[in-house]
């Protein structure tokens, strides 16, 4: 018989429901329906599991009635699937952890004994000053680690077992970066401190205690092979375990009221593959390099508007407007003369459109687009709602490629290049209307290459182009880009650096001779 036993993790709790039971764990939960008898079966199963049973005995008894056997099989399967069972040692050995630490490891560690051995095998060094370092040192000692006396130094650095965590605390804000190598975490900490721009002064004791303990917690998890605390956040409504925060999550803590949250950080020294949405990462309210795009007090009819700092974005929905504002603001961080996109399809489509926009072509009559409800709607916004003395020049540049330019009093308000006259006019007219609505002076360009979030009811049988344009237009974007290349459009990829590329942005420039 194995010296180990399988136990229900101490953090797991269950409650009966009218038709079964609900079981909650550390990072997930499940509900089973099948009658009140499920609760009785649970009580008989949970009792032995709380004490621990040999692994080979965790099985459905051969003599169990079929209904009970099915319920037991389902319960055991769900407990395993949701990581609510753990194998614990029969004996921890001479260096056994205190009861509260053992209970914590049994609640969260894949292998409590292995995690404890790793934690006991290292000596952690704390470098810092004041209450921040003192609280980190105290938390590490409380977790059962061997900790050297605090070394003086700026900020806070806790290191051991090949991992390190850096943190900092101002008078009003503190932070703890993701675990990594010493050079990485120190570089990230310095950059995060600059981004947060905390108030000078001695940090309050409560803030220093929160940040120092959080830094210690992240190091303990890294050394012990436990999931980083940033992955513990669960959506309270769905109870679905998250896939993990994008990039290197940084804990940011503030006063009034005291609170702490993990925020994605676009690191310059340890970039990762793009993960997470642009709005969540690039425009993060705490750590994003671009101001968070929000509608604010901007008018929202007929075009949806959003502002990221002083930059205004345009769209048919709030999400589209916020994404457009984010990209326009991010251009200040990109090289000059590049076309920026939310992804490769968007950036490439925008650049190819720019490359062909000055080509000569044949005029398209108004009859070819005026009957389209979407084009007509946006043109009416220009001519009637904003009473602009505007004209639309529509030109066919080649097979399947149409350019629309909106001008007023000789000034170019907007332009668009799309596959059909109706779409080209619709985008150009919407951009011109948005320009007038926002009161901006620059030429506005919008296009069908941008990613558009699926609207509510998009799949309803009664919806059509008039309801959710331009959603779905990007489905034909790659074929349209082939048509643009056939006209001689030539663009080249441009590197954006680790921060913007980690956010998922892509840039192209029009190549010489590409027009």
């Amino acid at each position: 018989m194995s010296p180990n036993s399988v136990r229900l993790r101490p953090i797991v709790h269950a409650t009966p429901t009218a038709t079964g039971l609900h079981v909650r764990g550390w990072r997930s939960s499940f509900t089973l329906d099948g009658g009140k008898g499920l609760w009785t079966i649970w009580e008989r199963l949970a009792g032995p599991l709380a004490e621990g049973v040999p692994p080979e005995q965790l099985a459905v008894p051969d003599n169990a009635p079929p209904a009970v056997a099915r319920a037991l099989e389902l319960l055991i399967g769900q407990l395993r699937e949701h990581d609510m069972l753990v194998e614990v040692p029969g004996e921890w050995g001479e260096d056994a952890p205190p009861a509260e630490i053992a209970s914590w490891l049994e609640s969260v560690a894949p292998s409590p004994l292995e995690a404890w051995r790793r934690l006991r095998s290292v000596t952690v060094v704390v470098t810092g000053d004041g209450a921040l370092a003192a609280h980190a040192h105290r938390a590490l000692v409380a977790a059962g680690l061997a900790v050297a006396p605090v070394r003086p130094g700026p900020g806070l650095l806790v290191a051991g077992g090949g991992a390190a965590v850096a943190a900092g605390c101002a008078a009003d804000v503190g932070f703890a970066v993701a675990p990594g190598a010493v050079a990485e975490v120190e570089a990230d900490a310095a950059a995060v401190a600059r981004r947060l721009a905390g108030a000078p002064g001695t940090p309050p004791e409560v803030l220093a205690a929160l940040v120092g303990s959080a830094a210690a917690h992240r190091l303990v998890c890294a050394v012990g092979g436990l999931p980083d605390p940033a992955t513990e956040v669960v959506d309270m409504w769905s109870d679905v375990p998250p896939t993990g925060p994008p990039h290197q999550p940084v804990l940011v803590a503030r006063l009034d009221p005291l609170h702490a949250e993990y925020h994605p950080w676009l690191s310059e020294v340890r970039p990762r593959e793009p993960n997470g949405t642009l709005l969540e990462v690039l425009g993060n309210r705490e750590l994003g390099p671009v101001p968070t795009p929000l509608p604010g007090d901007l008018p929202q009819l007929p075009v949806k508007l959003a502002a990221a700092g002083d930059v205004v974005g345009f769209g048919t929905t709030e999400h589209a407007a916020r994404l457009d504002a984010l990209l326009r603001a991010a251009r200040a961080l990109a090289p000059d003369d590049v076309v920026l996109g939310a992804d490769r399809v968007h950036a490439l489509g925008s650049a190819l459109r720019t490359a062909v926009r000055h080509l000569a072509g044949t005029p398209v009559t108004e009859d070819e687009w005026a009957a389209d409800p979407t084009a007509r709607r946006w043109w009416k916004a220009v001519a009637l709602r904003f009473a602009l003395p505007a004209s639309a020049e529509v030109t066919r540049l080649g097979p399947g490629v149409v350019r629309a330019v909106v001008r007023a009093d000789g000034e170019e308000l907007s332009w668009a290049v799309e596959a059909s006259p109706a779409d080209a006019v619709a985008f150009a007219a919407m951009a011109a209307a948005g320009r007038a609505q926002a009161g901006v002076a620059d030429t506005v360009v919008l296009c069908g290459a941008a990613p558009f979030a699926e609207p509510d009811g998009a799949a309803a049988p009664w919806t059509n182009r008039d309801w959710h344009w331009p959603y779905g237009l990007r489905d034909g974007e790659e074929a349209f880009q082939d048509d643009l290349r056939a006209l001689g459009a030539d663009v080249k990829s441009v590197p954006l650096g680790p921060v913007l590329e980690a956010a998922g942005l892509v840039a192209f420039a029009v190549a010489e001779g590409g027009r």
Side-chain angles (χ1 to χ4, degrees), residues 14 44 56 63-64 89-90 111 151 174 242 252 274 283 333 344 356 369 374 383 393-394 398 439 458 460 462 514:
R44 294 182 179 178
E56 62 272 12
N63 60 350
S111 173
R151 298 178 179 178
V252 178
L333 307 177
R344 182 176 177 82
V356 305
W369 60 266
T374 303
E393 179 186 278
V394 187
W462 45 266

Side-chain angles (χ1 to χ4, degrees), residues 266-482:
L266 295 169
S267 173
E268 294 186 11
V269 294
R270 37 180 180 169
R272 286 173 53 182
E273 291 298 317
N275 182 18
T277 69
L278 281 171
L279 292 174
E280 292 172 347
V281 178
L282 202 61
N284 181 268
R285 70 179 187 278
E286 288 283 10
L287 299 176
V290 172
T292 304
L294 295 170
D297 296 329
L298 292 169
Q300 296 299 308
L301 288 174
V303 183
K304 295 295 185 182
L305 304 179
D310 296 330
V311 179
V312 178
F314 312 86
T316 55
T317 65
E318 179 183 324
H319 182 276
R322 292 180 64 203
L323 180 60
D324 188 57
L326 189 83
L327 293 172
R328 294 179 189 275
R331 287 195 180 105
L333 307 177
D336 294 336
D337 301 322
V338 301
V339 179
L340 207 60
D343 55 22
R344 182 176 177 82
V345 172
H346 184 202
L348 183 57
S350 298
L352 291 172
R353 286 166 168 81
T354 301
V356 305
R357 63 164 300 208
H358 293 298
L359 293 178
T362 58
V364 174
T365 65
E366 186 174 331
D367 294 341
E368 293 190 53
W369 60 266
D372 180 82
T374 303
R376 186 170 64 250
R377 171 201 172 189
W378 289 112
W379 184 249
K380 287 170 65 177
V382 173
L384 300 181
R385 182 174 183 112
F386 294 106
L388 297 177
S391 62
E393 179 186 278
V394 187
T395 308
R396 192 176 307 279
L397 305 181
V401 180
V402 179
R403 176 187 64 219
V405 181
V406 177
R407 295 186 178 88
D409 296 327
E411 180 185 8
E412 183 180 85
L413 307 182
S414 61
W415 62 268
V417 174
E418 298 295 333
S420 71
D423 284 326
V425 171
F427 275 115
M430 181 175 71
R435 180 183 185 274
Q437 181 178 325
V440 299
D442 296 333
T443 300
V444 177
V445 181
L446 302 172
C447 76
F452 296 98
E454 182 176 357
D456 294 336
W462 45 266
T463 61
N464 55 29
R465 169 189 168 93
D466 305 337
W467 284 89
H468 52 76
W469 182 90
Y471 174 74
L473 193 63
R474 202 168 104 130
D475 294 344
E477 179 62 23
E478 293 187 10
F480 179 60
Q481 291 179 9
D482 289 338

